[in-house]
Amino acid sequence: MTNDPSTCANMNIRRTARQIGQFYDDHMSGTAIRATQFSLLVLVNRHAPAPISHIADAISMDRTTLTRNLRLLERDNLVEHEPGADARTRLYRLTDQGKHAVEEAQIFWDAAQTKLLTRFGEQRWKALRAELQAVQACLSES
């Protein structure tokens, strides 16, 4: 192993993730939500009503960070929660305003996705996505 930061998987993936996030945010600047919010809202909507543990597992995010993000979305009236089967469980879903925000942002997200895949190449993206899933799988092994 070398101590060369240019070979660091963590740094390279985080840098790429920031660039991709900025690319999507630039395309979605005409909407009320950011790209990260869009992705989380779509995920919540897909699994709703869902407890935070289920959402956290689906997005591979720790529950504390997810709770903070969901509180911000609640503050903006994009998500809401209701009590679950026991007092400790909250079930999250989109509000009507959240559903509208996703519908409104979808065209901008689609444009960003299409542009990225056109530039990078669909086959290359499929291969990279498979490799990223393999990395995720090896890191989740105990």
Side-chain angles (χ1 to χ4, degrees):
M1 288 273 163
T2 67
N3 202 12
D4 181 359
S6 69
T7 64
C8 176
N10 184 46
M11 186 192 76
N12 280 283
I13 289 172
R14 285 180 179 261
R15 178 177 41 213
T16 303
R18 282 191 301 273
Q19 287 178 291
I20 291 170
Q22 186 61 53
F23 180 82
Y24 277 79
D25 280 341
D26 288 348
H27 280 78
M28 295 179 67
S29 64
T31 70
I33 57 176
R34 297 178 57 92
T36 52
Q37 293 172 315
F38 176 82
S39 297
L40 182 54
L41 290 169
V42 167
L43 186 73
V44 169
N45 196 42
R46 182 176 299 143
H47 295 281
I52 197 160
S53 59
H54 186 77
I55 300 166
D57 288 345
I59 200 166
S60 296
M61 183 181 284
D62 70 87
R63 290 168 54 174
T64 303
T65 302
L66 180 58
T67 299
R68 274 195 311 270
N69 287 321
L70 288 171
R71 281 191 187 134
L72 293 173
L73 295 174
E74 279 186 290
R75 179 200 67 197
D76 295 340
N77 196 34
L78 299 173
V79 299
E80 60 190 1
H81 71 271
E82 64 185 43
D86 64 53
R88 297 172 298 158
T89 305
R90 295 178 182 174
L91 302 177
Y92 288 86
R93 75 167 103 273
L94 297 189
T95 62
D96 288 341
Q97 186 175 332
K99 289 176 185 176
H100 179 72
V102 168
E103 288 172 10
E104 204 172 60
Q106 185 72 55
I107 192 166
F108 296 95
W109 184 91
D110 288 343
Q113 180 81 354
T114 299
K115 191 172 187 178
L116 178 64
L117 295 183
T118 299
R119 285 183 181 181
F120 187 68
E122 295 232 12
Q123 288 306 111
R124 288 174 67 198
W125 167 240
K126 286 179 184 177
L128 177 58
R129 187 169 168 230
E131 291 299 322
L132 291 170
Q133 289 169 339
V135 170
Q136 292 165 18
C138 84
L139 292 175
S140 65
E141 293 175 358
S142 298

